[in-house]
Amino acid sequence: MPARSAEMLSVALVVPLQGPTGLYGPSCLACAELAAEQLNERDGIAGRQVELVVVDAGREPRVVADEVGRLVDEGRVQAVAGWHISAVRQAITRRVGGRVVYAFAAMHEGGDATPGVYMIGERPINQLLPAAHWMREELAVGRWAIVGNDYVFPRVTGATARLALADTTSEVVSETYVPLGTSDFGAVIESLSRQPVDGVMMLLMGQDAVHFNRQFARAGLSALLPRLSPAVEENTLLAGGAGAHEGLYAAAAYFDALGTAESTELARAYYARWGRWAPTLNAVGESCYEALYFLARVGEVCGSVEVAAVAAMPSGHFYSSPRGLMRLDGNLLDQDVYVAAADGMEFRIEQQIARAH
């Protein structure tokens, strides 16, 4: 397959369209397409019109990485962006790392020193840990049980939480990890009911979180054990139903109910483009919008999105986005983060818990 014209910048948009995280897919696609349309009405990315080449991240990581690798090998794409789990990110990085710029939009467990890789989502130090401290102060949650999917992000995040809370008034009492795609949490929930814990850190993705929340509520634990998640968003609430979310809290840099000047501007454009029945606007979808605008920012500052050029992107660089003020810290981003309470099938913002600095 021939390479694209030099006038076109093709971006592999790697988002889940099937599997446990597939429920995020429609929001990811809608947000990314809106970003591409807006950028193409201006200067595109580094002066080139943007084309999105969608890659389904809901498959096995190796399969996803092989497809992205072929696109890069053939010159079909010149950048990679999108929301997907860290296991997919690691597979892609092994395959094409250092060859194209890569804007990884999801919340993540920490750094990746691969040249050209930018980790633009939230991380435990400004997301999960401040939220845990907030829940200690507001809800007296001190003893945590972690329930997560069994791959790199939940495992490393769980270990980070355990170590970070060890010298505080909070602690991690237990950790349980289940395969991605788990639908029966009966044994996990029965164990939780017997543990001396005050709350549950949910490191479950997509449909797994939906199943867990429903079964947790049916077991009568919602009023007893608050839950905290860095990954639950508006699609998860809609899929779970209004009765499954009592005592559920989320920490993220973006919510549909955020109501800031920056988030309101995106919401207005999003619903004007897609209508009132659009896929729900949420942190996961918005992160794909964020990733494309980040590539545009890099192109504006560096004059190109080639890996050699983006090395000149200065650490400490500030810019504004729908999430508010963003600050580049090496290849990571600091950003404002909020904790929100589930209220039926919507979120209610409780407090800002971290700031870009």
Side-chain angles (χ1 to χ4, degrees):
M1 184 182 296
R4 285 298 193 197
S5 163
E7 300 302 316
M8 181 72 70
L9 182 80
S10 297
V11 179
L13 180 70
V14 188
V15 296
L17 304 179
Q18 60 181 292
T21 56
L23 62 83
Y24 305 140
S27 296
C28 291
L29 292 174
C31 286
E33 187 169 339
L34 175 64
E37 290 176 357
Q38 290 178 340
L39 290 170
N40 285 339
E41 290 173 357
R42 304 169 191 175
D43 297 322
I45 295 177
R48 300 162 68 181
Q49 291 285 286
V50 182
E51 176 194 44
L52 301 179
V53 179
V54 176
V55 176
D56 181 5
R59 298 167 294 169
E60 287 295 319
R62 178 189 56 78
V63 175
V64 180
D66 283 347
E67 181 172 344
V68 174
R70 287 193 298 272
L71 291 170
V72 172
D73 293 344
E74 296 167 0
R76 180 69 173 80
V77 301
Q78 295 78 49
V80 179
W83 190 103
H84 36 275
I85 65 173
S86 291
V88 171
R89 185 200 82 234
Q90 289 183 329
I92 292 174
T93 301
R94 285 193 295 269
R95 181 66 168 79
V96 301
R99 297 171 57 195
V100 292
V101 69
Y102 182 1
F104 179 65
M107 68 278 171
H108 57 87
E109 65 282 356
D112 184 328
T114 305
V117 172
Y118 288 93
M119 314 274 277
I120 66 175
E122 306 92 331
R123 46 187 163 144
I125 194 171
N126 71 351
Q127 183 187 27
L128 191 64
L129 297 177
H133 293 313
W134 181 87
M135 293 186 70
R136 173 68 183 183
E137 296 298 319
E138 299 295 325
L139 303 173
V141 178
R143 298 170 299 177
W144 290 98
I146 292 177
V147 179
N149 287 122
D150 192 5
Y151 69 93
V152 59
F153 168 72
R155 285 276 185 179
V156 175
T157 300
T160 300
R162 183 178 67 251
L163 293 172
L165 296 179
D167 296 326
T168 73
T169 54
S170 301
E171 63 177 327
V172 173
V173 174
S174 69
E175 297 178 60
T176 303
Y177 298 97
V178 300
L180 192 63
T182 295
S183 60
D184 183 357
F185 288 91
V188 175
I189 290 171
E190 197 278 330
S191 176
L192 287 173
S193 69
R194 295 185 283 103
Q195 292 182 27
V197 297
D198 307 314
V200 179
M201 285 187 185
M202 287 175 49
L203 304 179
L204 298 167
M205 300 295 117
Q207 196 64 40
D208 289 26
V210 172
H211 290 304
F212 179 82
N213 284 330
R214 288 173 176 168
Q215 293 165 37
F216 192 88
R218 285 200 298 267
L221 295 182
S222 295
L224 302 175
L225 298 176
R227 286 156 290 165
L228 169 63
S229 172
V232 165
E233 42 65 74
E234 288 80 353
N235 282 305
T236 312
L237 298 189
L238 291 172
H245 306 126
E246 179 185 359
L248 175 62
Y249 294 82
Y254 187 90
F255 293 93
D256 194 19
L258 192 54
T260 63
E262 297 89 350
S263 67
T264 299
E265 182 179 351
L266 171 59
R268 185 181 299 115
Y270 181 84
Y271 291 110
R273 175 64 179 89
W274 301 117
R276 61 181 298 190
W277 305 116
T280 186
L281 190 53
N282 59 83
V284 174
E286 188 275 342
S287 73
C288 295
Y289 182 97
E290 197 77 44
L292 292 171
Y293 267 87
F294 177 78
L295 291 178
R297 187 68 177 184
V298 170
E300 179 182 349
V301 172
C302 301
S304 168
V305 292
E306 293 183 2
V307 171
V310 303
M313 189 71 179
S315 185
H317 179 79
F318 281 95
Y319 68 97
S320 182
S321 89
R323 299 186 178 195
L325 192 64
M326 310 286 277
R327 176 183 177 274
L328 191 63
D329 179 11
N331 70 334
L332 310 176
L333 278 176
D334 291 328
Q335 53 207 287
D336 298 343
V337 178
Y338 304 83
V339 64
D343 185 3
M345 292 188 290
E346 299 178 337
F347 279 109
R348 180 181 66 251
I349 306 298
E350 296 288 340
Q351 188 168 323
Q352 185 173 355
I353 56 173
R355 295 181 182 275
H357 59 274

